[in-house]
Short mmCIF file of all heavy atoms in Angstrom, two decimals:
data_model
loop_
_atom_site.label_atom_id
_atom_site.label_comp_id
_atom_site.label_asym_id
_atom_site.label_seq_id
_atom_site.Cartn_x
_atom_site.Cartn_y
_atom_site.Cartn_z
N ALA A 1 115.57 23.17 128.94
CA ALA A 1 115.31 21.74 129.16
C ALA A 1 114.56 21.55 130.47
O ALA A 1 114.91 22.12 131.50
CB ALA A 1 116.63 20.96 129.16
N GLY A 2 113.53 20.75 130.43
CA GLY A 2 112.76 20.44 131.63
C GLY A 2 111.72 21.48 131.99
O GLY A 2 110.96 21.29 132.93
N GLU A 3 111.65 22.59 131.25
CA GLU A 3 110.65 23.61 131.55
C GLU A 3 109.42 23.40 130.67
O GLU A 3 109.51 22.93 129.55
CB GLU A 3 111.22 25.01 131.30
CG GLU A 3 112.35 25.35 132.25
CD GLU A 3 112.71 26.82 132.21
OE1 GLU A 3 111.79 27.66 132.21
OE2 GLU A 3 113.91 27.12 132.19
N THR A 4 108.27 23.78 131.22
CA THR A 4 107.03 23.70 130.46
C THR A 4 106.99 24.88 129.50
O THR A 4 107.08 26.03 129.93
CB THR A 4 105.80 23.75 131.41
OG1 THR A 4 105.91 22.69 132.34
CG2 THR A 4 104.52 23.64 130.62
N MET A 5 106.87 24.59 128.21
CA MET A 5 106.88 25.63 127.18
C MET A 5 105.49 25.78 126.59
O MET A 5 104.78 24.80 126.39
CB MET A 5 107.89 25.27 126.09
CG MET A 5 109.30 25.02 126.56
SD MET A 5 110.11 26.46 127.28
CE MET A 5 110.46 27.40 125.81
N LEU A 6 105.12 27.02 126.30
CA LEU A 6 103.84 27.33 125.67
C LEU A 6 104.09 28.20 124.44
O LEU A 6 105.05 28.97 124.40
CB LEU A 6 102.94 28.12 126.61
CG LEU A 6 102.48 27.48 127.90
CD1 LEU A 6 101.69 28.49 128.73
CD2 LEU A 6 101.64 26.26 127.61
N GLU A 7 103.19 28.11 123.46
CA GLU A 7 103.25 29.06 122.35
C GLU A 7 102.78 30.41 122.88
O GLU A 7 102.06 30.50 123.87
CB GLU A 7 102.38 28.58 121.20
CG GLU A 7 102.99 27.41 120.47
CD GLU A 7 102.31 27.14 119.13
OE1 GLU A 7 101.41 27.89 118.73
OE2 GLU A 7 102.70 26.15 118.50
N VAL A 8 103.18 31.46 122.19
CA VAL A 8 102.90 32.83 122.64
C VAL A 8 101.41 33.07 122.82
O VAL A 8 100.97 33.63 123.84
CB VAL A 8 103.51 33.84 121.64
CG1 VAL A 8 103.03 35.25 121.94
CG2 VAL A 8 105.03 33.78 121.71
N ALA A 9 100.59 32.65 121.86
CA ALA A 9 99.14 32.89 121.95
C ALA A 9 98.55 32.23 123.19
O ALA A 9 97.72 32.83 123.90
CB ALA A 9 98.45 32.39 120.69
N GLU A 10 98.97 31.02 123.48
CA GLU A 10 98.45 30.31 124.66
C GLU A 10 98.91 30.99 125.95
O GLU A 10 98.13 31.15 126.89
CB GLU A 10 98.91 28.85 124.64
CG GLU A 10 98.28 28.02 125.73
CD GLU A 10 98.69 26.56 125.67
OE1 GLU A 10 99.24 26.11 124.64
OE2 GLU A 10 98.47 25.86 126.67
N ALA A 11 100.18 31.42 125.98
CA ALA A 11 100.69 32.11 127.17
C ALA A 11 99.96 33.43 127.37
O ALA A 11 99.61 33.79 128.50
CB ALA A 11 102.19 32.33 127.05
N ALA A 12 99.72 34.16 126.29
CA ALA A 12 99.02 35.45 126.38
C ALA A 12 97.61 35.24 126.93
O ALA A 12 97.15 36.00 127.80
CB ALA A 12 98.97 36.12 125.01
N SER A 13 96.95 34.22 126.45
CA SER A 13 95.60 33.92 126.92
C SER A 13 95.61 33.50 128.39
O SER A 13 94.79 33.96 129.18
CB SER A 13 95.00 32.81 126.05
OG SER A 13 93.77 32.39 126.56
N ARG A 14 96.54 32.64 128.75
CA ARG A 14 96.60 32.13 130.12
C ARG A 14 96.92 33.22 131.14
O ARG A 14 96.34 33.26 132.22
CB ARG A 14 97.65 31.03 130.21
CG ARG A 14 97.74 30.42 131.61
CD ARG A 14 98.82 29.39 131.71
NE ARG A 14 98.41 28.16 131.04
CZ ARG A 14 99.05 27.02 131.15
NH1 ARG A 14 100.14 26.95 131.90
NH2 ARG A 14 98.63 25.95 130.52
N PHE A 15 97.85 34.14 130.79
CA PHE A 15 98.31 35.13 131.76
C PHE A 15 97.68 36.51 131.57
O PHE A 15 97.92 37.41 132.36
CB PHE A 15 99.83 35.26 131.71
CG PHE A 15 100.53 33.98 132.07
CD1 PHE A 15 101.27 33.30 131.14
CD2 PHE A 15 100.42 33.46 133.35
CE1 PHE A 15 101.92 32.11 131.46
CE2 PHE A 15 101.06 32.28 133.69
CZ PHE A 15 101.81 31.60 132.75
N GLY A 16 96.88 36.69 130.51
CA GLY A 16 96.23 37.99 130.28
C GLY A 16 97.21 39.08 129.89
O GLY A 16 97.04 40.25 130.24
N ILE A 17 98.24 38.72 129.15
CA ILE A 17 99.27 39.65 128.70
C ILE A 17 99.22 39.68 127.17
O ILE A 17 98.97 38.66 126.53
CB ILE A 17 100.68 39.20 129.15
CG1 ILE A 17 100.73 38.98 130.66
CG2 ILE A 17 101.76 40.16 128.69
CD1 ILE A 17 100.73 40.22 131.49
N LEU A 18 99.47 40.83 126.56
CA LEU A 18 99.46 40.93 125.10
C LEU A 18 100.52 40.01 124.48
O LEU A 18 101.62 39.85 125.04
CB LEU A 18 99.74 42.36 124.66
CG LEU A 18 98.68 43.40 125.01
CD1 LEU A 18 99.18 44.79 124.64
CD2 LEU A 18 97.38 43.09 124.29
N GLU A 19 100.20 39.45 123.33
CA GLU A 19 101.14 38.57 122.63
C GLU A 19 102.44 39.29 122.31
O GLU A 19 103.53 38.70 122.45
CB GLU A 19 100.52 38.02 121.34
CG GLU A 19 99.44 36.99 121.58
CD GLU A 19 98.92 36.39 120.29
OE1 GLU A 19 99.66 36.36 119.28
OE2 GLU A 19 97.76 35.94 120.29
N ASP A 20 102.36 40.55 121.89
CA ASP A 20 103.58 41.30 121.58
C ASP A 20 104.47 41.44 122.81
O ASP A 20 105.70 41.37 122.71
CB ASP A 20 103.23 42.69 121.03
CG ASP A 20 102.68 42.63 119.62
OD1 ASP A 20 102.92 41.62 118.93
OD2 ASP A 20 102.01 43.60 119.20
N THR A 21 103.87 41.62 123.97
CA THR A 21 104.64 41.73 125.21
C THR A 21 105.32 40.41 125.53
O THR A 21 106.50 40.38 125.90
CB THR A 21 103.72 42.16 126.37
OG1 THR A 21 103.12 43.41 126.03
CG2 THR A 21 104.49 42.29 127.67
N ILE A 22 104.58 39.30 125.37
CA ILE A 22 105.15 37.98 125.63
C ILE A 22 106.34 37.74 124.70
O ILE A 22 107.40 37.27 125.13
CB ILE A 22 104.10 36.87 125.44
CG1 ILE A 22 102.93 37.04 126.42
CG2 ILE A 22 104.72 35.49 125.55
CD1 ILE A 22 103.23 36.66 127.84
N ARG A 23 106.18 38.08 123.42
CA ARG A 23 107.28 37.91 122.45
C ARG A 23 108.48 38.76 122.84
O ARG A 23 109.63 38.32 122.76
CB ARG A 23 106.82 38.28 121.04
CG ARG A 23 106.37 37.12 120.24
CD ARG A 23 106.12 37.50 118.77
NE ARG A 23 104.86 36.92 118.41
CZ ARG A 23 103.66 37.51 118.47
NH1 ARG A 23 103.57 38.74 118.86
NH2 ARG A 23 102.58 36.87 118.13
N PHE A 24 108.22 40.00 123.26
CA PHE A 24 109.29 40.91 123.68
C PHE A 24 110.05 40.32 124.87
O PHE A 24 111.28 40.32 124.90
CB PHE A 24 108.71 42.29 124.03
CG PHE A 24 109.73 43.24 124.59
CD1 PHE A 24 110.64 43.86 123.75
CD2 PHE A 24 109.78 43.50 125.95
CE1 PHE A 24 111.59 44.73 124.27
CE2 PHE A 24 110.72 44.36 126.47
CZ PHE A 24 111.63 44.99 125.63
N TRP A 25 109.32 39.80 125.84
CA TRP A 25 109.96 39.19 127.01
C TRP A 25 110.78 37.98 126.59
O TRP A 25 111.87 37.74 127.11
CB TRP A 25 108.93 38.78 128.03
CG TRP A 25 108.27 39.91 128.76
CD1 TRP A 25 108.61 41.24 128.71
CD2 TRP A 25 107.15 39.84 129.62
NE1 TRP A 25 107.76 41.97 129.49
CE2 TRP A 25 106.87 41.14 130.07
CE3 TRP A 25 106.36 38.79 130.07
CZ2 TRP A 25 105.82 41.42 130.94
CZ3 TRP A 25 105.32 39.06 130.94
CH2 TRP A 25 105.06 40.37 131.37
N ALA A 26 110.25 37.20 125.66
CA ALA A 26 110.96 36.00 125.19
C ALA A 26 112.31 36.39 124.60
O ALA A 26 113.32 35.74 124.86
CB ALA A 26 110.11 35.25 124.17
N ARG A 27 112.30 37.45 123.79
CA ARG A 27 113.54 37.89 123.15
C ARG A 27 114.47 38.62 124.12
O ARG A 27 115.67 38.37 124.16
CB ARG A 27 113.23 38.84 121.98
CG ARG A 27 112.66 38.20 120.77
CD ARG A 27 112.63 39.18 119.60
NE ARG A 27 112.06 40.47 119.93
CZ ARG A 27 110.76 40.78 119.83
NH1 ARG A 27 109.91 39.89 119.41
NH2 ARG A 27 110.34 41.99 120.14
N SER A 28 113.92 39.54 124.88
CA SER A 28 114.75 40.46 125.67
C SER A 28 115.14 39.96 127.05
O SER A 28 116.17 40.35 127.57
CB SER A 28 114.00 41.79 125.82
OG SER A 28 113.69 42.32 124.56
N TYR A 29 114.31 39.12 127.64
CA TYR A 29 114.56 38.68 129.02
C TYR A 29 114.78 37.17 129.12
O TYR A 29 114.65 36.60 130.21
CB TYR A 29 113.40 39.11 129.92
CG TYR A 29 113.25 40.61 130.00
CD1 TYR A 29 112.23 41.25 129.30
CD2 TYR A 29 114.15 41.38 130.73
CE1 TYR A 29 112.09 42.63 129.36
CE2 TYR A 29 114.02 42.75 130.78
CZ TYR A 29 112.99 43.38 130.09
OH TYR A 29 112.86 44.75 130.14
N GLU A 30 115.08 36.55 128.01
CA GLU A 30 115.36 35.11 127.96
C GLU A 30 114.24 34.29 128.60
O GLU A 30 114.49 33.35 129.33
CB GLU A 30 116.71 34.81 128.61
CG GLU A 30 117.87 35.45 127.89
CD GLU A 30 119.22 35.13 128.52
OE1 GLU A 30 119.28 34.33 129.46
OE2 GLU A 30 120.21 35.68 128.04
N CYS A 31 113.02 34.67 128.27
CA CYS A 31 111.86 33.93 128.77
C CYS A 31 111.40 32.89 127.75
O CYS A 31 110.48 32.14 128.02
CB CYS A 31 110.71 34.89 129.05
SG CYS A 31 111.02 35.99 130.44
N GLY A 32 112.01 32.89 126.58
CA GLY A 32 111.57 31.95 125.56
C GLY A 32 112.59 31.80 124.45
O GLY A 32 113.67 32.39 124.48
N LYS A 33 112.21 31.00 123.48
CA LYS A 33 113.08 30.76 122.33
C LYS A 33 112.23 30.56 121.09
O LYS A 33 111.06 30.20 121.18
CB LYS A 33 113.95 29.52 122.57
CG LYS A 33 113.15 28.23 122.70
CD LYS A 33 114.06 27.05 122.95
CE LYS A 33 113.22 25.78 123.12
NZ LYS A 33 114.07 24.61 123.34
N LYS A 34 112.83 30.80 119.94
CA LYS A 34 112.13 30.60 118.69
C LYS A 34 112.34 29.17 118.22
O LYS A 34 113.46 28.69 118.14
CB LYS A 34 112.65 31.58 117.64
CG LYS A 34 111.73 31.78 116.49
CD LYS A 34 112.14 32.98 115.68
CE LYS A 34 111.03 33.37 114.74
NZ LYS A 34 111.37 34.57 114.00
N ASP A 35 111.25 28.48 117.94
CA ASP A 35 111.31 27.10 117.46
C ASP A 35 111.90 27.10 116.06
O ASP A 35 111.38 27.78 115.17
CB ASP A 35 109.91 26.49 117.46
CG ASP A 35 109.92 25.02 117.14
OD1 ASP A 35 110.44 24.65 116.07
OD2 ASP A 35 109.41 24.24 117.96
#
């Protein structure tokens, strides 16, 4: 709540990180959630 959320593709593009890595971080390091 209150955090700016991005879809994986947008985050990957913005930060220059692979989409699979972003998804992995979302699942494993509580960096994101599945809508």
Side-chain angles (χ1 to χ4, degrees):
E3 295 193 44
T4 303
M5 305 295 285
L6 297 175
E7 287 194 4
V8 169
E10 187 177 345
S13 173
R14 181 183 286 192
F15 298 114
I17 305 287
L18 294 173
E19 288 184 27
D20 288 339
T21 302
I22 299 285
R23 265 189 226 93
F24 175 77
W25 289 352
R27 287 190 311 270
S28 303
Y29 297 104
E30 297 181 6
C31 292
K33 64 181 178 179
K34 199 167 194 177
D35 187 303

